[in-house]
Amino acid sequence: MNLTLKIWRQKDSNAKGQMVDYKVTDISEHMSFLEMMDVLNEQLVNTGEEPVAFDHDCREGICGMCSLYINGEAHGPDRGVTTCQLHMRMFKDGDTITIEPWRAAAFPVIKDLVVDRTSFERIQQAGGYISVNTSGNTQDANAIPISKHAADEAMDAATCIGCGACVATCKNSSAMLFVGAKVSQYALLPQGQVEATDRVMNMVKQMDLEGFGNCTNTGACEIECPKGISLENIARMNREFLKANLKG
Amino acid sequence: MALDSKVPKGPIKDKWTDYKNKINLVNPANKRHIDVIVVGTGLAGGSAAATLAELGYNVKAFAYQDSPRRAHSIAAQGGINAAKNYQGDGDSTYRLFYDTVKGGDYRSREANVYRLAEVSANIIDQCVAQGVPFARDYGGLLDNRSFGGVLVSRTFYAKGQTGQQLLLGAYSAMNRQIARGKIEMFNRHEMLDVVVVDGKARGIIARNLITGEIERHSAHAVVIASGGYGNVYFLSTNAMGSNATAAWKIHKKGAYFANPCFTQIHPTCIPRSGDYQSKLTLMSESLRNDGRIWVPKNMEDVMAIREGRKKPTDLSEDERDYYLERRYPAFGNLVPRDVASRAAKERCDAGYGVNATGEAVYLDFASAIERYGKEQAKIHNIDNPTEAKIYELGKGIVEAKYGNLFQMYEKIVDEDPYKTPMMIYPATHYTMGGVWVDYNLMTTIPGCYCIGEANFSDHGANRLGASALMQGLADGYFVLPYTIGDYLADDIRTGKIPTDSKEFEEAEKAVTDRINFFINNNGTKSVDHFHKRLGKVMWDKVGMARNEQGLKEAMAEIKQIREEFWKDVKVPGNANEMNPELEKAGRVADFLELGELFAKDALMREESCGGHFREESVEESGEQKGEAKRNDKDFAFVAAWEYKGEPADAVLHKEELEFKDIELKQRSYK
Ligand SMILES: Cc1cc2nc3c(=O)[nH]c(=O)nc-3n(C[C@H](O)[C@H](O)[C@H](O)COP(=O)(O)OP(=O)(O)OC[C@H]3O[C@@H](n4cnc5c(N)ncnc54)[C@H](O)[C@@H]3O)c2cc1C
Ligand code: SF4
Ligand code: FES
């Protein structure tokens, strides 16, 4: 395949960015999208230009590092995948592909397609954990049975990879799906109950402080989420938040 | 320097308990005056950072990713072992210890492995308390599965995402300490050197990967938890950024590097499809619980399949060669990784590979789907179920167990693995070699520790499935926090370590000079160009099968590539900005040295053991004919290499391995 790429280039967080056109040739349909980007970068290095910076690491859809807004969609046109799992068979010879970074006030651009997602970190530091001493004097793991249903549901919420596609795709740049997933995981497990009130209050407060928008129930986040995190988690977070507020 | 493993005296069962009773402790009030640097926030570094902070030390943690949660441990799929005997199938500390030592082909340190088995049960309790959602059965109790090389079900799992969930557990424990101010987290920072003052590790030089700034960080001790070096092969299942730099840099400053040639080749990866490929993808070994491995019996069928005239499903049972079940009836498809990998390579080398490159065998779920389907039909009281119904019910079970893996396969290969068998082939996956450490997990540099995949101690020549996660967390949560205290007890009056000493200055200068060299070199070839060439030599000559001549050639070729690299590498961009090419250049430079030492180590080891098949060393007769031949008389030692400039000049130190509690035997999985 031969393709035209329109890519956002931005030197650093202070510089002004712009779209730049590139051509790549001989792209195999078996390549992943990021392998296609590798081909472009190899080409740029060989011609003495600076390669395009983008975030990635595991390349198996699990670390949540890769991002990219492709043709107006977070992680591109395929469903239920991250950009590293997106394959070029989703595109046609001669296509023009627009590639941009995640865009949200809470995710400032660092360079080219790389954004700063540490706002997610701070939300978790505000309470996304269970306060247990880590030096190993805990009770036997089977001492508190957990119903298979609850364990499975907690697992589904816990699968969130923290990629930020939900934020990038939301017209309000809301982080509710991400935060909802984290709150849900602990809300569903007996171990997380003791701190449930503080947890949800603190995490939601931090989320607002970071400048994420509000949820207006459009549901775009759920559609673009590579891990199928469901809106149910937002509802559960809202219930937990309400409960916490009632308790004061 | 003579190697002292510092293994405590006494019966193996009591060593760790006795040791803990006798070591020096640091008074909680004094811990506040002690700083510890942890490089790496995977399972090993993350759990260590959280626990050291919990104990009261000031921790500075470093990772090259933008968040600890993205460390490579996140990718582990299958599960984590622990001797809990919840299934009542006869598991025990001793049995886990025995399986691990045997699985590692008797090249690990007994005392370390026993301790690992001993603390394993604690890990599960700890993680559950932290909210890790392990799989549960209908009674609400923890579920288990089994993994290659063992006959009990001791593997705990969270779907096919166990590493992810365990890492998120450690990460949440870290977050709690970051919020308390006990951990200072340095994301997007890469350690580029260690600083040794008066013979002790007292800090590191790191590069801020966003601004390019070179920073000095001091501490009373440095812990390296930087993961494995499998990317020395270029293609591997490791994350793209996984590298050897931290481990290699401490090696150059005095830490011995042990058994560099022990690398694990994992049997169930998605085969390579073309030259553009950047990495290989693992399919969890747990699939071997239900998948049967085969190639066609007849060469005509192989050809017909390769040319697309036949589909694998067209072949009847007796036209298939289930070679693992045939050769190893006791373990069948669940033989350990090295055995499964070598058997697949043997079939493919003999011409039976089923894809275009001839490098693939089938992993088939049809009989599992049928078996589960029939079982479900019974459970749901469905009389005379149709074949379609059986398939549907069976598929449901397989989907619940491995759904995400099947989805991943389908995305990559564009074939539905429920309908047609998966194609798999071995790939580099895990490195059992690494920095030499004593029983305290301290390297040969005082005050410099090494934990997790980056060290060498627990897995010998081959790692059993689900044991790396166990080791990472054991080291980080339960071992290092004790052993490091023993060392730090002497430092309570030292006070802050200044960063304006000449040692820091020199180390910083060396780092800066090297970066400037890359930026100004103006060569003609990209970093990847050299990395791919190195990878090819490594796979062809230092891969699953090795011989003396190939290894000698490999050493010379790697040296040659390294010389070219330093002349001709091209790194665009600047030093004082985010520059991924510059990051890669530094890492590949280190791989180019490590690769040569790797080959040298393999050359020295004139025996086959674990996944390392030395072609000159093979069983020639008897039941084990054709299997790898280990040589305990001459090679029951750890090869610890001391840096002397060129990798070819490295000096060998031997730590003789003692097996007092387990008899050294030929491994048999027949
Ligand atoms: C695909 C795959 C599946 C696996 N599945 C299983 C499984 O099912 N069960 C099992 O037991 N094991 C499994 N393993 C092995 C296991 O995942 C690893 O051995 C283990 O996670 C390694 O953990 P670690 O903490 O030592 O290192 P890692 O998790 O690799 O962490 C390394 C850390 O070091 C940091 N780092 C590295 N270099 C530097 C530097 N110079 N400066 C700063 N930071 C640095 C990184 O940022 C990262 O935080 C699997 C491995 C792979 C590749
Ligand atoms: S909720 Fe989905 S889209 Fe949002 S961060 Fe998590 S995995 Fe990514
Ligand atoms: S690179 Fe890890 S999810 Fe894409």
Side-chain angles (χ1 to χ4, degrees), chain A residues 120 159-167 177-178 181 221 224-227 229:
Chain A
F120 270 15
T159 6
C160 163
I161 56 175
C163 64
C166 44
V167 173
L177 196 65
F178 167 77
C221 53
E224 293 297 346
C225 171
K227 295 294 152 186
I229 304 294

Side-chain angles (χ1 to χ4, degrees), chain B residues 38 40 79 202 214 225 259 264 290 363 377 449 480 519 571 596 629 650 666:
Chain B
V38 179
R202 291 299 198 187
I214 305 298
N259 300 336
Q264 183 159 77
D290 284 311
L363 178 62
Y449 290 77
L480 180 83
I519 296 291
V571 179
E596 191 180 336
K629 185 177 173 194
Q666 164 77 266

Side-chain angles (χ1 to χ4, degrees), chain A:
Chain A
M1 280 188 273
N2 298 330
L3 304 164
T4 306
L5 309 173
K6 290 185 169 308
I7 302 182
W8 182 259
R9 301 297 312 253
Q10 179 173 340
K11 193 154 176 48
D12 55 45
S13 52
N14 300 320
K16 242 182 99 207
Q18 66 184 58
M19 299 300 286
V20 179
D21 287 6
Y22 298 97
K23 293 227 180 302
V24 285
T25 52
D26 287 329
I27 297 299
S28 148
E29 59 166 20
H30 295 298
M31 283 182 191
S32 72
F33 197 86
L34 297 187
E35 282 165 347
M36 185 278 293
M37 294 292 288
D38 293 341
V39 170
L40 169 71
N41 275 347
E42 181 80 13
Q43 190 176 307
L44 292 178
V45 175
N46 287 333
T47 56
E49 276 179 78
E50 250 199 83
V52 182
F54 61 93
D55 260 335
H56 65 107
D57 201 20
C58 73
R59 296 208 176 182
E60 1 191 296
I62 190 76
C63 73
M65 187 105 179
C66 61
S67 45
L68 303 193
Y69 212 59
I70 302 164
N71 286 343
E73 279 185 277
H75 295 305
D78 205 354
R79 286 285 86 86
V81 297
T82 50
T83 302
C84 58
Q85 289 176 301
L86 175 69
H87 277 75
M88 295 312 291
R89 59 182 83 94
M90 298 299 294
F91 300 90
K92 290 191 307 294
D93 186 32
D95 275 359
T96 297
I97 308 176
T98 309
I99 310 170
E100 297 162 276
W102 284 171
R103 289 192 193 272
F107 290 163
V109 172
I110 294 176
K111 179 173 187 167
D112 296 341
L113 304 169
V114 177
V115 301
D116 179 350
R117 283 172 283 197
T118 44
S119 45
F120 270 15
E121 302 287 289
R122 290 184 292 270
I123 294 174
Q124 303 219 59
Q125 286 153 17
Y129 50 78
I130 291 175
S131 298
V132 54
N133 191 308
T134 44
S135 34
N137 291 315
T138 41
Q139 63 182 328
D140 185 87
N142 264 346
I144 309 174
I146 301 176
S147 82
K148 180 167 165 49
H149 182 69
D152 286 351
E153 264 199 292
M155 178 66 207
D156 285 346
T159 6
C160 163
I161 56 175
C163 64
C166 44
V167 173
T169 209
C170 172
K171 62 182 195 310
N172 310 318
S173 298
S174 163
M176 296 275 258
L177 196 65
F178 167 77
V179 183
K182 212 63 224 168
V183 168
S184 286
Q185 178 193 342
Y186 296 127
L188 286 158
L189 295 171
Q191 290 83 357
Q193 296 308 319
V194 182
E195 297 165 284
T197 308
D198 289 345
R199 177 179 307 113
V200 69
M201 300 278 270
N202 291 339
M203 287 180 83
V204 169
K205 188 169 135 214
Q206 188 65 33
M207 174 176 85
D208 292 341
L209 278 177
E210 295 291 346
F212 290 104
N214 235 312
C215 171
T216 46
N217 285 315
T218 320
C221 53
E222 183 183 61
I223 296 169
E224 293 297 346
C225 171
K227 295 294 152 186
I229 304 294
S230 80
L231 288 176
E232 177 58 28
N233 292 297
I234 297 186
R236 191 179 292 108
M237 175 175 81
N238 285 334
R239 283 199 301 277
E240 291 288 316
F241 189 67
L242 201 69
K243 243 187 348 198
N245 270 318
L246 288 177
K247 274 196 208 156

Side-chain angles (χ1 to χ4, degrees), chain A residues 141-142 144-148 151, chain B residues 128 134-138 140-143:
Chain A
N142 264 346
I144 309 174
I146 301 176
S147 82
K148 180 167 165 49
Chain B
V128 166
F134 283 116
R136 299 265 167 174
D137 63 21
Y138 284 98
L141 301 179
L142 289 158
D143 203 4

